[in-house]
Amino acid sequence: MHIAVTGNIGAGKTTLTTMLAKHYGWDAQFEDVDHNPYLEDFYADMSKWSFALQIYFLGSRFRQVKEIRESGKNIIQDRTIYEDAHIFAENLNDMGLLSDRDFNNYASVFSLMKSFVSAPDLLIYLKSDVPNLVKKIYKRGREYEASISIEYLSKLNQKYEKWISNYTEGKLLIIEVDDLDFVEKPEDFGFILEKIEAELNGLF
Ligand SMILES: Nc1ncnc2c1ncn2[C@@H]1O[C@H](COP(=O)(O)OP(=O)(O)O)[C@@H](O)[C@H]1O
Ligand SMILES: Nc1ncnc2c1ncn2[C@H]1C[C@H](O)[C@@H](COP(=O)(O)O)O1
């Protein structure tokens, strides 16, 4: 079984992925953030580094897709390859931070890769509003993310809403996380588990 957690920066994906992997004994796949050779430079100068960062994330996410296909294990994945293309790369292009020439080049590589990608059995979307995202990014305290603007987060949130409302590739569970504290409150984590199990009924 392949489950993926999706959502904007700071929504709680890594936290929930870690908790679910521990609870169910699943393998977890995380994003390549701490050893990412471009991320810090990207936040310092988005226009200069956007193409290099997108190619890096695309390669790293495709490696994960391959592992999921080959492993035969139950895997929970923190963010999907779809988000790189449909949320981040598209948004950078819209904002004029990734040129049309580079975006078209990227999109043609992504469309080749897409034929090898299977949708997760369940996609869990963590929906959060911008002020709450800002609070959680601040709480996490990665220095290079201090430059993330409200405008950038808002545009990403709009892209997420559009993408999720058109998502038909597989089962989808939307969780509004702003009134939940699944880190500190076991009942909130229990509420999420119930929702997941209801969706996966029959697949478990
Ligand atoms: N529902 C929540 N309640 C309280 N704190 C949360 C919640 N979700 C995430 N956090 C905190 O917010 C920060 C960002 O969460 P993280 O899982 O790294 O987000 P993401 O992986 O989506 O970027 C972390 O410090 C985490 O502990
Ligand atoms: N495809 C991407 N383009 C730009 N930035 C990206 C992409 N994928 C992830 N990121 C950034 C956003 C955050 O700063 C870190 C980690 O993501 P998070 O949502 O906090 O798990 O990488």
Side-chain angles (χ1 to χ4, degrees), residues 9 13 31 43 54 57 61 79 84 88 140 145:
I9 306 168
K13 299 178 299 300
E31 291 184 283
Y43 281 118
Q54 291 316 311
F57 268 123
R61 217 84 69 176
R79 186 166 274 142
D84 295 310
F88 285 94
R140 177 166 66 197
E145 290 183 340

Side-chain angles (χ1 to χ4, degrees), residues 18-161:
T18 307
M19 292 171 75
L20 291 175
K22 191 169 166 220
H23 181 84
Y24 289 118
W26 293 334
D27 281 15
Q29 272 190 344
F30 296 101
E31 291 184 283
D32 195 349
V33 175
D34 292 339
H35 300 103
N36 188 307
Y38 295 108
L39 199 53
E40 193 167 348
D41 285 334
F42 167 74
Y43 281 118
D45 186 342
M46 286 188 166
S47 178
K48 179 169 176 190
W49 295 103
S50 59
F51 184 67
L53 179 72
Q54 291 316 311
I55 292 296
Y56 183 80
F57 268 123
L58 194 60
S60 123
R61 217 84 69 176
F62 193 68
R63 216 166 290 122
Q64 292 188 335
V65 166
K66 191 167 167 285
E67 269 174 41
I68 292 170
R69 282 177 82 109
E70 290 169 358
S71 81
K73 291 184 179 163
N74 290 330
I75 289 188
I76 178 140
Q77 184 189 21
D78 176 352
R79 186 166 274 142
T80 63
I81 196 166
Y82 303 122
E83 291 158 78
D84 295 310
H86 299 309
I87 311 287
F88 285 94
E90 257 188 51
N91 179 55
L92 287 166
N93 181 242
D94 288 355
M95 291 180 80
L97 297 164
L98 180 65
S99 70
D100 288 345
R101 180 169 59 169
D102 286 346
F103 178 67
N104 291 337
N105 182 3
Y106 172 91
S108 98
V109 176
F110 174 72
S111 100
L112 274 178
M113 288 179 163
K114 220 174 137 180
S115 53
F116 292 91
V117 177
S118 308
D121 298 299
L122 176 66
L123 184 71
I124 304 172
Y125 172 48
L126 303 186
K127 184 178 162 110
S128 182
D129 67 19
V130 171
N132 280 297
L133 294 170
V134 171
K135 276 189 218 152
K136 285 184 266 180
I137 293 169
Y138 180 77
K139 179 178 171 193
R140 177 166 66 197
R142 284 186 197 131
E143 254 174 53
Y144 53 81
E145 290 183 340
S147 65
I148 294 178
S149 67
I150 303 275
E151 185 201 6
Y152 185 64
L153 285 175
S154 305
K155 287 184 185 297
L156 291 176
N157 246 8
Q158 283 163 20
K159 290 268 177 208
Y160 268 105
E161 288 299 311

